[in-house]
Amino acid sequence: MRTPECPREQELLEALAGGRWPDGAVTELEMHAGRCDSCTELLTVALPLLREHELAERHARIPSSGVVWWRAQMRARREAVDAATRPIAWTQGLALACAAGLAAGVATFAETGVRAWLGWGVTALAALDPRTIDLARLQALAPAGTLPLVALGLLVVVAPMAIYLAVADE
C-alpha cells in the first residue's frame, strides 16, 4: 500500500533533478528523507534511475554535424523520389488494368476466330511434311479470319515496343 504523499517530496525531487542530492542537499532534507517513508521510497526508485541516466549520457555517441546533414539530405532525396514516382506507378497500374480489360474484350469478341485459328494451326502442323511444304495447301486450310487475327497479334506485340523505343531517352 502506498504511503501518503509527503509535503517535502517536491523539494526532494527538485534536489534530485538539479543534481544537488546527496552532496549539495540541505542536511535538514537529508534527515527528513531518512525518517519519512514516502521520501525513502522515492529515493529508492529515483536514485538508480538517475545513475542509469547519467551513465547513458556519458556513453552516448552523438554523430558529427556532417553525418547528420548527409543523412538528412539522403532522406530528403529518397522522399522526393518516392513523391515523384508515385504518380508514375499509379499511371502504370491504370495502363495495365486497361490493357487487361482490352485483352479480355478482344478475346471475348474474337473467341470463334481464335478457336478456328487454333484448329487451323493443329491441322497445319499435322499436314506439314518437312520434305514437301505446300504453301498453297496451308493457305487453303486457313480460316477466313486468320489475317486480321495475325495482324491484331502483331499489333499487340509490336506497338508497345515501338512506343517504348520512341520515348526512351537512352
Side-chain angles (χ1 to χ4, degrees):
M1 185 169 125
R2 171 115 167 96
T3 56
E5 189 173 314
C6 175
R8 297 200 68 185
E9 253 185 43
Q10 188 61 36
E11 186 181 349
L12 182 60
L13 278 173
E14 288 171 4
L16 286 168
R20 297 185 314 267
W21 185 269
D23 299 330
V26 179
T27 55
E28 180 189 339
L29 186 58
E30 277 186 73
M31 289 189 311
H32 169 76
R35 291 186 312 249
C36 177
D37 290 339
S38 177
C39 291
T40 305
E41 229 178 85
L42 176 68
L43 285 173
T44 304
V45 172
L47 283 176
L49 290 174
L50 285 173
R51 286 190 189 113
E52 186 67 29
H53 175 71
E54 290 170 3
L55 185 66
E57 276 185 339
R58 270 188 257 134
H59 292 112
R61 289 186 41 218
I62 299 172
S64 69
S65 61
V67 170
V68 172
W69 179 84
W70 179 76
R71 286 180 183 167
Q73 292 296 316
M74 290 294 106
R75 180 177 180 181
R77 286 181 187 167
R78 190 172 46 249
E79 288 173 356
V81 166
D82 289 345
T85 57
R86 195 171 300 122
I88 295 170
W90 276 95
T91 305
Q92 286 176 339
L94 181 63
L96 183 63
C98 289
L102 181 64
V106 167
T108 303
F109 177 72
E111 179 185 1
T112 56
V114 171
R115 286 179 189 243
W117 187 71
L118 289 175
W120 168 77
V122 169
T123 307
L125 286 176
L128 281 179
D129 184 6
R131 294 170 289 187
T132 59
I133 297 176
D134 187 10
L135 290 178
R137 185 166 180 236
L138 287 176
Q139 287 177 346
L141 290 173
T146 301
L147 184 61
L149 193 59
V150 169
L152 180 65
L154 284 174
L155 182 66
V156 167
V157 171
V158 173
M161 291 169 46
I163 292 171
Y164 173 74
L165 292 174
V167 298
D169 291 338
E170 299 174 347

